[in-house]
Amino acid sequence: MKIPKIGDILFFLLILTSGILLSKNLFAKKGPSVEINANGKKYEYSLSQDRIYKVEGKIGTSSIQIKDGKVRIIDSPCPNKNCVHQNWGNLIICLPNNVIVSVKAQEDFDAVAE
């Protein structure tokens, strides 16, 4: 019987650890979240945590509120405030400030395999 070398053991442990970490991330269930695209930067926050976030857009700072699993823009530097008047929603767009807020479901699929 051959005795394994240190390099073989380390290689095996590396592969084993990588597999565990990848499978943990792959099978972890994420709750619903909100994705914010603000002037080219992406942010993602949980819908289960009530908070107010501020993001920098093209013309200033927009304030986004998450409450009771819903999202809305509560303040924006844009002149007409259409995004603020949209109230709670799954997709809110502020064109002048280049801010897009979208709700992502628990399981988003890129494609369906049959």
Side-chain angles (χ1 to χ4, degrees):
M1 187 165 130
K2 250 182 159 176
I3 297 176
K5 296 180 183 174
I6 295 290
D8 294 337
I9 293 172
L10 290 176
F11 181 72
F12 175 75
L13 290 175
L14 177 69
I15 297 295
L16 182 66
T17 304
S18 298
I20 290 170
L21 291 175
L22 286 173
S23 64
K24 180 181 173 186
N25 289 336
L26 184 64
F27 295 112
K29 286 191 175 184
K30 283 177 49 177
S33 63
V34 61
E35 183 177 278
I36 303 169
N37 290 307
N39 206 27
K41 293 184 180 177
K42 280 189 177 184
Y43 307 91
E44 189 170 340
Y45 302 108
S46 171
L47 277 175
S48 63
Q49 205 172 16
D50 294 352
R51 288 195 60 184
I52 294 175
Y53 297 97
K54 295 187 182 288
V55 295
E56 278 302 312
K58 186 176 182 180
I59 60 173
T61 304
S62 290
S63 298
I64 294 134
Q65 180 183 27
I66 297 173
K67 185 175 182 184
D68 299 328
K70 299 181 289 186
V71 65
R72 68 179 176 167
I73 295 178
I74 56 174
D75 189 36
S76 180
C78 60
N80 56 13
K81 308 276 189 215
N82 284 337
C83 56
V84 176
H85 299 303
Q86 287 182 43
N87 245 332
W88 305 100
N90 290 334
L91 179 65
I92 305 166
I93 300 170
C94 180
L95 284 178
N97 202 25
N98 198 17
V99 173
I100 300 171
V101 178
S102 59
V103 173
K104 294 174 69 175
Q106 185 169 346
E107 295 178 355
D108 280 342
F109 296 103
D110 290 336
V112 176
E114 292 186 46

